[in-house]
Amino acid sequence: MSTLNDDVNWDSWPVEDYLAENYRELHPSDAAVIAHHSAVYRRFAPGSLACSVEFGAGPNLYPLMLAGAASRRIDAVEAGKANVAYLSRQLDGGPDASWLPFHALCRRLNPGLPADPAQALSRVRVVHQDVRALPPGGYDLASMNFVAEGVTEDFDEFRDFCRLFVRSVVPGGWLVAAFMENMPTYRIGPASRWPGSWTTCGAPRSN
C-alpha cells in the first residue's frame, strides 16, 4: 500500500536533522535552484507583486528570501507544527548564520533583494495551514520546492498537489517550482521514514 500524505504525522518532522543534512551548507543543487528562481524574480520590479505564497514552506528559508524583493507579502504556508515553530523563530530572531551564504547568493543574482537577510524575510507571514485548504486564485505568484513529490507515495496524489499549486495563483499568475526527479521514500536522521513519489519532473520549472 502506498503511503498517502494524511498517513504521516507531519508535526513530528525532524527539523534539526533535516537542516543538518540539507541546509547547513550551500550545496550545488540548491545553488542551481537559486540561479533559476532568481532569473524569474528579476523580471519583477521591487514590490510589484501584492502577495505570493510558498506552497509547503518547510524550514527552507531561501525560497522566502528570493521572493523578498518582488512581493509585498509572502505567505509561508506550512502544515507541520515543528516547521512552523522553526520558521517563526527565524523570523522573530533573525535567520541562523548558516543561511547567510544562501542570502548572499540570492542577492548577488538579484541585487534588488535587501542587503540584510532579516529585512529580506520581513515580508514573510507564517501561515499554519494545510496547502490543500488554500482558496484558488489567491496569489500573484506561487513557489513550490520539493513538496509535491516529497509528501506522498501515490502519483495521483502528487498530481493533485500540483494542480492545487497551479490553481493557487490568479489567472495569468506566475509559478516557480523545483522538483526532485525520481524522489524515493527517504530517511532523515537515524530512524524516521518519509514518503516520496517517483516523479520524472527533473529540473526547476517556471511559468
Side-chain angles (χ1 to χ4, degrees):
M1 294 287 291
S2 296
T3 300
L4 302 178
N5 181 77
D6 288 338
D7 297 330
V8 179
N9 178 13
W10 294 106
D11 289 339
S12 66
W13 179 261
V15 174
E16 291 304 323
D17 286 336
Y18 179 73
L19 292 172
E21 293 179 17
N22 294 281
Y23 295 117
R24 291 309 184 197
E25 60 182 273
L26 176 55
H27 297 291
S29 55
D30 290 301
V33 173
I34 290 170
H36 172 271
H37 289 9
S38 294
V40 177
Y41 283 108
R42 284 196 304 269
R43 303 181 188 188
F44 305 107
S48 59
L49 300 176
C51 191
S52 63
V53 61
E54 188 61 32
F55 193 90
N60 184 359
L61 295 190
Y62 77 71
L64 302 173
M65 292 176 179
L66 284 165
S71 299
R72 299 194 295 276
R73 192 184 90 198
I74 304 150
D75 285 354
V77 179
E78 169 59 38
K81 290 181 180 178
N83 285 329
V84 166
Y86 176 79
L87 289 172
S88 298
R89 290 195 303 270
Q90 295 296 292
L91 296 179
D92 291 342
D96 294 338
S98 56
W99 292 108
L100 299 183
F102 291 85
H103 172 262
L105 178 58
C106 292
R107 188 162 190 266
R108 186 162 70 247
L109 294 171
N110 185 4
L113 195 66
D116 179 6
Q119 188 179 356
L121 294 167
S122 64
R123 296 173 176 177
V124 177
R125 182 183 71 161
V126 180
V127 180
H128 188 189
Q129 179 178 306
D130 191 315
V131 292
R132 292 171 295 184
L134 286 174
Y139 296 95
D140 299 309
L141 178 146
S143 167
M144 179 175 69
N145 295 278
F146 316 118
V147 173
E149 72 276 28
V151 298
T152 181
E153 294 177 2
D154 182 80
F155 189 68
D156 288 336
E157 189 171 43
F158 161 79
R159 289 190 296 186
D160 289 341
F161 272 99
C162 290
R163 291 189 188 100
L164 290 169
F165 168 62
V166 171
R167 292 173 185 170
S168 68
V169 297
V170 297
W174 290 79
L175 303 170
V176 57
F179 295 90
M180 185 78 70
E181 186 175 19
N182 294 330
M183 179 72 172
T185 297
Y186 55 100
R187 293 186 181 276
I188 301 173
S192 64
R193 178 183 177 276
W194 305 89
S197 302
W198 284 85
T199 71
T200 55
C201 298
R205 309 289 184 189
S206 66
N207 257 338

